[in-house]
Each structure stands twice: as structure tokens, then as C-alpha cells.
Amino acid sequence: DQTALDRFVVGIRPPVIAVTTHCAGRDNGMIVLSGAVGSVIPDAMRMSVNICKSNFTHSLVNQSGVFAMHMLA
């Protein structure tokens, strides 16, 4: 059944997540390669994202200490 398969695939597909930051007058952003829900308590939603240390965005987040996470899908 294609409908059941579509529901299953949507349930296991990871979300598309963008991370943006601002440091020293410079804006930057990227689509993260890995992101997941990090909480089992609905009232305390947490997400986990991984940014490779060699990525420029990682350097800016590390320097500024701030970032925004955007759930795109």
C-alpha cells in the first residue's frame, strides 16, 4: 500500500534544519547534515544539531556563542 509506505517514510525522514549565526558584522548560515529531536518531554522541546569543525559556520558560532536553528521541513 503506497499510502502506508509514504506515512512510514515521512516518519523516519530527518528534518531539514538550517543554522544561522552573526559574528563581527558577518551573517552566515548552513544546512546541517545531522539533526534530531533531543527530548522526550513535549513541554521541554530540545533539538540536537551537528556542525563539522572545519565548517566556517562552526567558527562563527564558536566565536559569537549565538546561533538560530530553523526547522525547514
Side-chain angles (χ1 to χ4, degrees), residues 1-9:
D1 179 5
Q2 186 63 41
T3 303
L5 179 61
D6 290 343
R7 281 193 304 255
F8 174 75
V9 170

Side-chain angles (χ1 to χ4, degrees), residues 55-69:
N55 192 293
F56 181 63
T57 303
H58 181 277
S59 297
L60 293 182
V61 169
N62 197 31
Q63 290 172 29
S64 68
V66 298
F67 69 93
M69 185 179 67

Side-chain angles (χ1 to χ4, degrees), residues 18-69:
V19 169
T20 58
T21 189
H22 180 84
C23 181
R26 188 161 189 180
D27 294 322
N28 189 262
M30 62 175 284
I31 301 296
V32 298
L33 297 176
S34 176
V37 174
S39 176
V40 295
I41 304 168
D43 294 336
M45 180 58 90
R46 295 172 189 229
M47 293 292 295
S48 171
V49 294
N50 297 308
I51 302 172
C52 182
K53 286 185 178 182
S54 63
N55 192 293
F56 181 63
T57 303
H58 181 277
S59 297
L60 293 182
V61 169
N62 197 31
Q63 290 172 29
S64 68
V66 298
F67 69 93
M69 185 179 67

